[in-house]
Amino acid sequence: MSSNVIEVERGERFGFGENWARFLSVLDERRIAEAERSLREMLGAESLEGRSFLDIGSGSGLFSLAARRLGARVRSFDYDPRSVACTRELRRRYFGEDGGWVVEEGSALDESYVRSLGLFDVVYSWGVLHHTGEMWRALENARLPVREGGKLFVAIYNDAGWRSRVWWQIKRAYNLCPRPLRLPFTLAILLPGQAKAAAVAAARLRLGEFVRSWTRHDVNRGMSRWHDAIDWLGGFPYEVATPAEIESFYAARGFRLLRTVPDPHYDLGCNEFVFVRESADVETAAVESVSREGDR
């Protein structure tokens, strides 16, 4: 039995792969096209033809699929065996035994493993590293496979102060809940806020827009809002960071911020960042400077 499975059974970790396996039943061409669009927009490229793409924590496999369809050579890994199975299923559906797309099990916390993967033009990790249990170590490892001039695209939960601490407790409680009680728990947590949002929309004669926000494919990066809601409620371990903390962390390691998209969900969702790795000389100087400051 894998360590991931043991942690899930103990209530120490959310079963991300189980949730994404259910998501695959609603995945369709429109969702895939939206995932491709979001990648093109954030990376500032219409195509990834001829580029290498590493997906750290591939989850459902949707964005590995999007990158492959945009022309990239893709390598995907995840700590959760069921997420690995989801990604392999998408490869099977759309690319068969494609030599340009490698899928495997691995951990973002395993530095030697991450180093063994080599260097990539794009390293992508959306909403993953804050669920490892050691976020800063995972953020450190995520930079290792980015080649000089390559891009690092990460999304990390925003630090919303006391509200983030409350949600840590809620997420922990969800994972400790017996399985038969998880759906009632989910509804008890989510329905009050959604009922209020629906009432406000109805008062403004925009109830249809509220309903479409749960069903449209051209929002939320092609993901399913319901499955994302379950991922949000159950996603544990759970860590957060401010945008300034993420930006300064990577600036000290020779990365320049190209683009950021702030969290749109009441400060509790993910901030998105795209960095470019500057020259190795710049990186080395920055790391040495940080080390010297730490010795003072």
Side-chain angles (χ1 to χ4, degrees):
M1 185 179 295
S2 73
S3 56
N4 176 83
V5 172
I6 293 171
E7 290 165 353
V8 170
E9 290 185 351
R10 290 177 178 170
E12 299 170 356
R13 182 175 297 277
F14 177 61
F16 293 97
E18 181 179 346
N19 186 46
W20 296 133
R22 291 191 291 267
F23 166 69
L24 294 193
S25 66
V26 301
L27 181 64
D28 59 19
E29 186 61 32
R30 289 178 295 176
R31 293 187 188 278
I32 298 169
E34 176 59 21
E36 290 178 19
R37 184 205 63 77
S38 71
L39 267 186
R40 290 196 305 268
E41 180 179 338
M42 285 299 293
L43 295 175
E46 283 302 305
S47 170
L48 295 178
E49 192 68 40
R51 301 186 190 180
S52 53
F53 183 98
L54 177 64
D55 191 351
I56 299 178
S58 57
S60 68
L62 174 58
F63 283 84
S64 288
L65 172 62
R68 187 71 184 108
R69 295 203 349 168
L70 289 172
R73 302 183 309 280
V74 176
R75 189 153 187 171
S76 317
F77 75 85
D78 203 292
Y79 179 65
D80 186 326
R82 296 196 68 174
S83 290
V84 175
C86 288
T87 305
R88 285 177 174 157
E89 170 61 15
L90 289 192
R91 183 184 63 181
R92 184 197 66 79
R93 286 186 195 179
Y94 295 94
F95 283 91
E97 294 302 317
D98 180 22
W101 183 358
V102 176
V103 183
E104 60 197 5
E105 188 173 332
S107 171
L109 298 179
D110 186 342
E111 180 181 343
S112 61
Y113 167 72
V114 175
R115 286 187 182 277
S116 75
L117 300 176
L119 298 177
F120 293 80
D121 297 306
V122 179
V123 173
Y124 174 89
S125 191
W126 207 105
V128 171
L129 304 179
H130 48 230
H131 290 314
T132 59
E134 296 183 62
M135 181 181 70
W136 294 106
R137 179 179 165 194
L139 286 164
E140 176 72 28
N141 288 345
R143 74 179 179 87
L144 299 176
V146 184
R147 71 171 68 256
E148 184 178 331
K151 294 179 180 178
L152 173 64
F153 182 177
V154 296
I156 298 294
Y157 278 136
N158 186 58
D159 187 347
W162 66 269
R163 286 182 296 162
S164 295
R165 318 305 175 241
V166 169
W167 273 100
W168 188 97
Q169 297 291 343
I170 293 172
K171 290 166 179 285
R172 177 64 166 153
Y174 175 94
N175 285 280
L176 291 173
C177 242
R179 283 184 175 272
L181 298 181
R182 287 185 180 178
L183 180 57
F185 183 92
T186 299
L187 296 177
I189 296 295
L190 297 182
L191 277 182
Q194 293 305 308
K196 180 180 179 180
V200 170
R204 295 176 177 174
L205 303 179
R206 294 179 176 176
L207 186 58
E209 290 183 14
F210 172 80
V211 173
R212 285 192 294 275
S213 74
W214 280 88
T215 59
R216 288 171 55 189
H217 299 76
D218 59 338
V219 295
N220 205 30
R221 304 164 46 253
M223 304 300 292
S224 156
R225 188 169 177 185
W226 171 252
H227 294 93
D228 261 4
I230 297 299
D231 179 274
W232 159 249
L233 184 61
F236 194 84
Y238 170 66
E239 294 180 77
V240 296
T242 65
E245 287 174 328
I246 298 297
E247 292 172 28
S248 63
F249 179 86
Y250 280 119
R253 288 155 175 79
F255 285 76
R256 175 169 53 87
L257 183 65
L258 291 179
R259 182 172 185 187
T260 182
V261 176
D263 154 44
H265 300 298
Y266 311 103
D267 298 330
L268 286 167
C270 287
N271 298 306
E272 301 178 61
F273 308 88
V274 177
F275 296 92
V276 62
R277 181 177 184 177
E278 303 281 20
S279 71
D281 289 341
V282 171
E283 179 186 25
T284 301
V287 173
E288 288 176 349
S289 174
V290 171
S291 299
R292 286 194 296 272
E293 290 178 4
D295 292 337
R296 291 175 184 173

